[in-house]
Amino acid sequence: MSQDRQERCCICGGKIEKGGCDPYPIAEEGRCCHACNWTVVIPKRIELSKRNNERT
């Protein structure tokens, strides 16, 4: 990645540092910042995991 072109978070539009994170299941394309990973993506993954565990 060029120093002139900063990648942007696909969730909040903020700057991505150190490669960012996988935004799935919130988004299927792009990368997200670490803040969105902790506050949006991980809670959603936990919620989906709990739902799947309740069904079994």
Side-chain angles (χ1 to χ4, degrees), residues 1-49:
M1 174 172 51
S2 166
Q3 291 283 358
D4 297 334
R5 187 179 138 295
Q6 294 279 334
E7 260 192 273
R8 295 288 174 181
C9 174
C10 65
I11 298 171
C12 73
K15 228 179 4 177
I16 290 181
E17 297 180 12
K18 299 183 182 179
C21 303
D22 180 2
Y24 186 83
I26 303 299
E28 292 189 16
E29 293 183 17
R31 304 292 290 167
C32 69
C33 66
H34 292 287
C36 285
N37 188 52
W38 283 105
T39 61
V40 179
V41 177
I42 291 174
K44 185 64 171 183
R45 289 178 182 167
I46 292 169
E47 175 190 329
L48 292 173
S49 177

Side-chain angles (χ1 to χ4, degrees), residues 47-56:
E47 175 190 329
L48 292 173
S49 177
K50 285 180 180 179
R51 279 192 215 166
N52 288 338
N53 286 337
E54 289 173 357
R55 291 183 201 167
T56 58

